[in-house]
Amino acid sequence: MTSFNFILCALFVIPQISLSSDDCRAILQSAGATKEFGGRVGHAIHSLSVRNLKQFKPDVNETNQVPTVNLNLTSDIPILSYAPDRTTPDSHMFLLDGSIILDEILSHMDDKSYNLKNYNPLEQIVHTFHMEEMWASALIDYRNFEVDPPADEVCQCVMDIENNGILMKLRQTALIIREPNLMLGYGQERAERRCSENASSPGCSFFKSIGKSLPPLNSAKAWKRWKMDSGAMKGKDTALFLYCALNNNNGSNKNFKNIEWNQKYHY
Ligand SMILES: *[C@@H]1O[C@H](CO)[C@@H](O)[C@H](O)[C@H]1NC(C)=O
Ligand SMILES: *[C@@H]1O[C@H](CO)[C@@H](O)[C@H](O)[C@H]1NC(C)=O
Ligand SMILES: *[C@@H]1O[C@H](CO)[C@@H](O)[C@H](O)[C@H]1NC(C)=O
Ligand SMILES: *[C@@H]1O[C@H](CO)[C@@H](O)[C@H](O)[C@H]1NC(C)=O
């Protein structure tokens, strides 16, 4: 994998006509994105893998432009510039996606520094299926974008992850995954305020799930609480991002070698 990514370092960024953040906000909303575009997309894409992306576009490989959180929690690189291939050499034994997902998770079950820290294998499985639900929902909207693609200008704003909130959300997600004890309750106040104003506002259940309110998954009663956060969420923002990331020829120069990419976004 390392040597494979090394090849990518030869590619450089070609500046495009830059659109301001304000322009982009308006452009994204006129393309059907919600006001929470960056946060929603950052959350939805953080654990995507090549296997998932192949459902959107069959020829996707690790040379893709979908940034993700590194599930290897001891790596110096918290955010990857691409969605990795997480299948194991045994994946071919399985016909069902569900079995492949179990194989991907359980093959790391002895590694406490992989995937969500403090989550036991059952909780990791639930979290992964929650994400799979989200991608299944995004796939429906993605098919519509294939028929009626967004304009170049829209994709330029979609791929400007430094300014549209996607990278910020990925960083926050990486922190929560790596240091759950330090991040306990993070976002809780805002979520509580928002949820008391309107219990169905977007992101409400996700923010709640970060705090103490999510019990260990060891009883049917606890599952009832987990289930609240586990269903599909509206996928249009994510579909828009994935359409641009997987089909945007202009952006193909954005495949940085990981180290360079992380330095670029370091401050
Ligand atoms: C991976 O995908 C990229 C971009 O679509 C393509 O240029 C490249 O040839 C592919 N690599 C392999 C090994 O298939
Ligand atoms: C995670 O990263 C560390 C440090 O780079 C490395 O030693 C370890 O093998 C990696 N673990 C996995 C599962 O790739
Ligand atoms: C609450 O949020 C939902 C989802 O965004 C929205 O459809 C609904 O109109 C909101 N209700 C109020 C009273 O603002
Ligand atoms: C690439 O971007 C430039 C400038 O942003 C635009 O004029 C051109 O149409 C784009 N080409 C493709 C293939 O998207």
Side-chain angles (χ1 to χ4, degrees):
M1 203 159 86
T2 315
S3 61
F4 179 74
N5 288 320
F6 202 71
I7 299 166
L8 306 178
C9 74
L11 303 164
F12 297 100
V13 206
I14 297 163
Q16 296 179 342
I17 306 158
S18 60
L19 293 159
S20 79
S21 294
D22 284 344
D23 292 341
C24 274
R25 243 188 303 278
I27 289 169
L28 287 175
Q29 281 176 33
S30 69
T34 67
K35 288 198 171 93
E36 285 85 22
F37 177 81
R40 283 181 175 216
V41 174
H43 171 228
I45 66 176
H46 82 270
S47 56
L48 275 166
S49 74
V50 168
R51 175 180 57 77
N52 308 119
L53 294 177
K54 279 181 188 291
Q55 295 180 324
F56 293 82
K57 208 174 175 219
D59 65 354
V60 172
N61 60 34
E62 283 194 334
T63 309
N64 63 65
Q65 300 176 70
V66 179
T68 55
V69 169
N70 192 350
L71 298 190
N72 183 344
L73 307 179
T74 55
S75 165
D76 288 340
I77 298 173
I79 295 172
L80 302 174
S81 57
Y82 64 99
D85 187 351
R86 290 205 188 92
T87 53
T88 80
D90 303 320
S91 297
H92 64 89
M93 288 167 48
F94 304 109
L95 289 178
L96 295 179
D97 275 347
S99 310
I100 298 174
I101 293 166
L102 290 179
D103 181 43
E104 286 175 14
I105 297 169
L106 298 182
S107 295
H108 290 280
M109 72 186 281
D110 307 309
D111 186 350
K112 296 287 172 234
S113 298
Y114 189 84
N115 209 335
L116 300 150
K117 205 167 167 181
N118 290 2
Y119 270 45
N120 67 33
L122 180 61
E123 292 164 348
Q124 291 187 14
I125 289 165
V126 170
H127 173 259
T128 302
F129 273 93
H130 161 56
M131 300 311 298
E132 298 271 341
E133 287 277 344
M134 227 174 273
W135 303 323
S137 161
L139 187 57
I140 298 167
D141 289 303
Y142 184 94
R143 296 291 177 237
N144 294 330
F145 284 122
E146 282 182 321
V147 177
D148 184 13
D152 282 353
E153 187 184 55
V154 173
C155 280
Q156 215 174 304
C157 293
V158 164
M159 297 309 292
D160 186 9
I161 62 169
E162 280 172 277
N163 296 309
N164 65 17
I166 293 178
L167 191 60
M168 193 60 89
K169 185 66 184 183
L170 283 172
R171 286 203 196 98
Q172 187 197 322
T173 306
L175 263 172
I176 291 166
I177 287 173
R178 287 182 165 227
E179 298 296 346
N181 294 334
L182 297 181
M183 298 297 284
L184 200 60
Y186 185 86
Q188 200 76 351
E189 263 174 48
R190 194 175 123 219
E192 272 164 17
R193 192 168 4 100
R194 208 201 301 182
C195 299
S196 68
E197 282 163 11
N198 181 354
S200 54
S201 24
C204 205
S205 61
F206 175 65
F207 278 119
K208 266 199 238 162
S209 74
I210 296 167
K212 291 181 179 133
S213 53
L214 201 60
L217 182 50
N218 55 14
S219 65
K221 191 173 166 219
W223 168 240
K224 271 196 176 157
R225 172 65 189 84
W226 277 70
K227 203 167 14 177
M228 282 171 63
D229 298 334
S230 298
M233 288 162 121
K234 284 210 180 87
K236 193 163 181 188
D237 286 334
T238 306
L240 180 59
F241 175 80
L242 290 178
Y243 185 85
C244 292
L246 301 180
N247 298 285
N248 173 16
N249 299 327
N250 259 347
S252 53
N253 46 42
K254 277 210 166 181
N255 282 308
F256 303 100
K257 183 185 162 200
N258 259 310
I259 291 282
E260 288 178 1
W261 195 81
N262 277 277
Q263 279 168 352
K264 174 175 154 63
Y265 290 124
H266 179 82
Y267 53 74

Coordinates of all heavy atoms in Angstrom, one line a residue, residues 8 19-20 35 48 60 64 85 99 107 137 183 194-195 198 217 224 243 246 248 251:
L8 N 1.9 8.2 -6.3 CA 1.0 9.3 -6.4 C 1.7 10.7 -6.1 O 1.2 11.7 -6.5 CB -0.2 9.2 -5.5 CG -1.0 7.9 -5.6 CD1 -2.1 7.8 -4.6 CD2 -1.5 7.8 -7.0
L19 N -13.2 29.9 -6.2 CA -14.5 30.5 -5.8 C -14.5 30.7 -4.4 O -13.9 29.9 -3.6 CB -15.6 29.5 -6.2 CG -15.9 29.2 -7.6 CD1 -16.6 27.9 -7.8 CD2 -16.7 30.3 -8.3
S20 N -15.0 31.8 -3.9 CA -15.0 32.1 -2.4 C -15.9 31.2 -1.7 O -16.8 30.6 -2.3 CB -15.4 33.6 -2.2 OG -16.8 33.7 -2.2
K35 N -27.6 22.9 4.4 CA -26.7 23.8 5.1 C -25.6 23.1 5.9 O -24.6 23.7 6.2 CB -27.5 24.7 6.0 CG -28.4 25.8 5.3 CD -28.8 26.9 6.3 CE -29.5 28.0 5.6 NZ -31.0 27.9 5.6
L48 N -15.4 5.0 4.8 CA -15.6 4.4 3.5 C -14.3 3.6 3.1 O -13.2 3.9 3.4 CB -15.9 5.4 2.4 CG -17.3 5.9 2.3 CD1 -17.4 7.2 1.4 CD2 -18.2 4.8 1.7
V60 N -13.4 1.7 -9.1 CA -12.7 2.5 -8.1 C -11.6 1.6 -7.5 O -11.8 0.4 -7.3 CB -13.7 2.9 -7.0 CG1 -12.9 3.5 -5.8 CG2 -14.7 4.0 -7.6
N64 N -8.2 7.1 -5.2 CA -9.4 7.8 -5.2 C -9.3 9.1 -4.4 O -8.4 9.2 -3.7 CB -10.6 6.9 -4.7 CG -10.4 6.5 -3.3 OD1 -10.4 7.3 -2.4 ND2 -10.1 5.2 -3.0
D85 N -8.5 0.1 0.8 CA -9.2 -1.3 0.6 C -9.0 -2.0 1.9 O -7.9 -2.3 2.4 CB -8.4 -2.0 -0.5 CG -9.1 -3.3 -0.9 OD1 -10.1 -3.7 -0.2 OD2 -8.7 -3.9 -1.9
S99 N -21.2 -10.8 5.4 CA -20.1 -11.7 5.8 C -18.7 -11.0 5.6 O -17.8 -11.1 6.4 CB -20.1 -13.0 5.0 OG -21.4 -13.5 5.0
S107 N -11.4 -9.6 11.9 CA -9.9 -9.9 11.6 C -9.1 -8.9 12.4 O -7.9 -9.1 12.6 CB -9.6 -9.7 10.1 OG -10.3 -10.7 9.4
S137 N -28.2 4.6 1.4 CA -29.1 5.7 1.2 C -28.5 6.7 0.2 O -29.2 7.2 -0.7 CB -29.4 6.4 2.5 OG -29.9 7.7 2.3
M183 N -12.8 13.3 24.4 CA -13.9 14.0 23.6 C -15.3 13.7 24.2 O -16.3 14.2 23.6 CB -13.8 13.5 22.2 CG -12.5 13.8 21.5 SD -12.2 15.5 21.3 CE -13.3 15.9 20.0
R194 N -29.8 22.4 20.5 CA -30.5 22.2 19.2 C -31.6 21.2 19.3 O -32.7 21.4 18.8 CB -29.5 21.7 18.2 CG -29.9 22.1 16.8 CD -29.2 21.3 15.7 NE -27.8 21.4 15.7 CZ -27.0 20.7 14.8 NH1 -27.6 20.0 13.9 NH2 -25.7 20.7 14.9
C195 N -31.4 20.1 20.1 CA -32.4 19.1 20.1 C -33.6 19.5 21.0 O -34.7 19.0 20.8 CB -31.8 17.8 20.7 SG -30.5 17.1 19.6
N198 N -35.6 21.6 18.6 CA -36.3 20.8 17.6 C -35.6 19.4 17.5 O -34.5 19.2 17.0 CB -36.1 21.5 16.2 CG -36.8 20.7 15.1 OD1 -37.3 19.6 15.3 ND2 -36.8 21.3 13.9
L217 N -23.3 -1.8 24.9 CA -24.3 -2.6 24.1 C -24.3 -4.0 24.7 O -23.6 -4.9 24.1 CB -24.0 -2.6 22.6 CG -25.0 -3.3 21.7 CD1 -26.4 -3.0 22.0 CD2 -24.6 -3.1 20.3
K224 N -32.0 -0.8 22.1 CA -33.1 0.2 21.8 C -32.5 1.6 21.6 O -32.9 2.3 20.7 CB -34.2 0.2 22.8 CG -35.3 -0.8 22.6 CD -36.5 -0.6 23.4 CE -37.6 -1.6 23.0 NZ -38.6 -1.8 24.0
Y243 N -20.3 11.7 -6.0 CA -20.3 11.8 -7.5 C -19.2 12.7 -8.0 O -18.5 12.3 -8.9 CB -21.7 12.4 -7.9 CG -21.7 12.4 -9.4 CD1 -22.1 11.3 -10.1 CD2 -21.2 13.5 -10.2 CE1 -22.1 11.2 -11.5 CE2 -21.1 13.5 -11.6 CZ -21.6 12.3 -12.2 OH -21.5 12.3 -13.6
L246 N -15.7 10.9 -7.4 CA -15.4 9.7 -8.2 C -15.4 10.0 -9.7 O -15.0 9.2 -10.5 CB -16.4 8.5 -7.9 CG -16.5 8.0 -6.5 CD1 -17.5 6.9 -6.3 CD2 -15.1 7.6 -6.0
N248 N -14.8 13.3 -11.1 CA -14.2 14.7 -11.4 C -12.8 14.5 -12.0 O -11.9 14.4 -11.2 CB -14.2 15.5 -10.1 CG -13.6 16.8 -10.2 OD1 -13.4 17.3 -11.3 ND2 -13.2 17.4 -9.1
G251 N -10.1 17.0 -10.8 CA -9.6 16.9 -9.5 C -8.6 15.7 -9.3 O -8.0 15.6 -8.3

